[in-house]
């Protein structure tokens, strides 16, 4: 019985990936084979994966809400659990859009690759989309991902780079800010610790430093009845709810067991 050369190389790749601890070695091998332009590059890509780079950084893209989102070196890889936040945002945006019959104004703060804004725009359409991040690598990646949605991407600290004309007009404010407590960074998988920027992970002593700053200014930027959505952990959620309340937002906690996702939604009162 003969075996085709491609089957041999695929099984060799699976063996290398499995030995390196990749749980989904077969799936990864197929993705790498379909992405590599030639055998030499395939070998180099497999090697990058074997030494520990996240698959998404090796491929140059991540799948998120059914989209292929470009993810550059050191830029945060959008997590599947965050699709829950986008789903919640889409439901809220639809409700607001039905009331207002105008384009939904969306801001994706701490946007990283821009995956959340891109996915929300693709889901609901008719958006005025703005995104911002402090990390220049994330900003350049987000510009590529949000270009087709007509999104504007700004570089700077939280709200600081946003145009003042957005004040009081934002319907949906997405902020998947870093929320890992500093001491827990060392417990993250090496893929995150070594290949994602520290600024994308570190949320300070209790993980809420950035969320507090986001919440503190949110009511100024949200339209009456507009919503701020942040992802958090089950353990941190009561703290996040408290922060939202202190800053005049009406908090609501939503969870998804299947995706192990916890989101706090803060709504600016209508008056
Ligand atoms: C956990 S990552 C999330 C990225 C993206 N929202 C996602 O879910 O894929 C957090 C992002 O916040 C950005 N960030 C951290 N501190 C920031 C700040 N002070 N101002 C703006 N962006 C910040 C990081 O550069 C990183 O891209």
């Amino acid at each position: 019985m003969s075996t085709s050369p491609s089957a041999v190389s695929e099984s060799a790749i699976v063996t290398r990936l499995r030995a390196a601890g990749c749980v989904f070695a077969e799936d990864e091998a197929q993705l790498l084979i379909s992405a590599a332009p030639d055998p030499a590059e395939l070998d180099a890509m497999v090697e990058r994966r074997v030494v520990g780079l996240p698959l998404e950084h090796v491929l140059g893209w991540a799948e998120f809400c059914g989209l292929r989102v470009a993810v550059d070196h050191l830029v945060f890889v959008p997590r599947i659990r965050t699709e829950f936040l986008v789903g919640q945002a889409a439901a809220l945006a639809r409700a607001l859009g039905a009331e207002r019959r105008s384009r939904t104004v969306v801001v994706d703060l701490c946007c990283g690759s821009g995956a959340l804004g891109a996915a929300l725009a693709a889901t609901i359409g008719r958006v005025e989309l703005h995104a911002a991040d402090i990390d220049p690598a994330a900003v350049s990646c987000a510009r590529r991902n949000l270009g087709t949605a007509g999104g504007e991407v700004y570089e700077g600290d939280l709200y600081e780079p946003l145009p003042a004309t957005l004040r009081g007009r934002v319907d949906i404010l997405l902020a998947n800010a870093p929320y890992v407590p500093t001491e827990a960074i060392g417990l993250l998988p090496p893929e995150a610790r070594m290949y994602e920027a520290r600024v994308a992970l570190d949320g300070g002593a209790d993980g809420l430093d950035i969320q507090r700053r986001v919440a503190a200014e949110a009511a100024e930027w949200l339209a009456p009845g507009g919503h701020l959505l942040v992802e958090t952990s089950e353990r941190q959620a009561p703290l996040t709810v408290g922060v939202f309340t202190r800053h005049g937002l009406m908090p609501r906690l939503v969870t998804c067991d299947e995706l192990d996702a916890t989101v706090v939604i803060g709504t600016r009162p209508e008056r």
Side-chain angles (χ1 to χ4, degrees):
M1 191 176 83
S2 68
T3 314
S4 76
S6 62
V8 170
S9 65
E10 181 169 340
S11 74
I13 291 168
V14 170
T15 304
R16 279 169 77 189
L17 293 172
R18 194 168 288 134
C22 300
V23 179
F24 302 105
E26 284 87 358
D27 296 342
E28 293 200 9
Q30 279 175 15
L31 283 168
L32 291 166
I33 289 167
S34 60
D38 56 55
E41 182 55 18
L42 175 59
D43 192 53
M45 289 170 80
V46 173
E47 190 51 31
R48 288 200 284 278
R49 181 66 184 130
V50 163
V51 298
L53 257 81
L55 177 69
E56 293 82 356
H57 285 159
V58 177
L59 294 170
W61 55 266
E63 190 172 325
F64 186 74
C65 291
L67 300 179
R68 240 179 216 203
V69 177
V71 187
D72 295 338
H73 188 54
L74 291 179
V75 173
F76 186 84
V77 175
R79 308 297 202 256
I80 295 300
R81 77 158 58 88
T82 309
E83 293 187 355
F84 178 64
L85 184 153
V86 174
Q88 294 294 312
L92 293 167
R94 283 199 191 98
L96 286 174
E99 278 168 28
R100 294 180 183 160
R101 299 179 185 280
S102 55
R103 280 203 307 167
T104 306
V105 179
V106 175
V107 170
D108 183 359
L109 269 195
C110 298
C111 68
S113 64
L116 279 59
L120 185 57
T123 308
I124 60 172
R126 287 176 44 81
V127 294
E128 176 186 333
L129 177 59
H130 303 263
D133 200 285
I134 201 165
D135 176 5
V139 168
S140 104
C141 192
R143 286 200 171 121
R144 279 193 286 141
N145 286 318
L146 297 184
T148 46
E152 291 288 337
V153 186
Y154 315 92
E155 181 181 325
D157 184 21
L158 297 185
Y159 301 93
E160 173 267 322
L162 296 178
T165 48
L166 281 174
R167 280 182 190 272
R169 285 187 55 230
V170 180
D171 296 310
I172 301 287
L173 178 55
L174 310 167
N176 188 23
Y179 61 89
V180 181
T182 306
E183 279 199 349
I185 300 263
L187 306 174
L188 292 175
E191 285 186 5
R193 265 188 290 118
M194 295 170 63
Y195 299 106
E196 290 177 324
R198 175 96 184 194
V199 70
L201 305 171
D202 193 344
D206 65 356
L208 270 76
D209 281 5
I210 308 285
Q211 284 182 7
R212 275 190 200 90
R213 294 180 54 218
V214 170
E217 282 190 57
E220 274 177 50
W221 293 87
L222 287 172
H227 310 282
L228 163 65
L229 295 96
V230 305
E231 187 175 279
T232 185
S233 69
E234 204 182 331
R235 194 178 53 75
Q236 292 162 306
L239 297 174
T240 306
V241 165
V243 168
F244 277 28
T245 307
R246 275 196 293 287
H247 291 293
L249 301 170
M250 297 183 298
R252 185 159 65 89
L253 179 65
V254 283
T255 58
C256 171
D257 290 342
E258 197 188 331
L259 294 176
D260 186 27
T262 303
V263 168
V264 180
I265 301 170
T267 301
R268 180 182 158 187
E270 286 284 353
R271 49 182 105 166

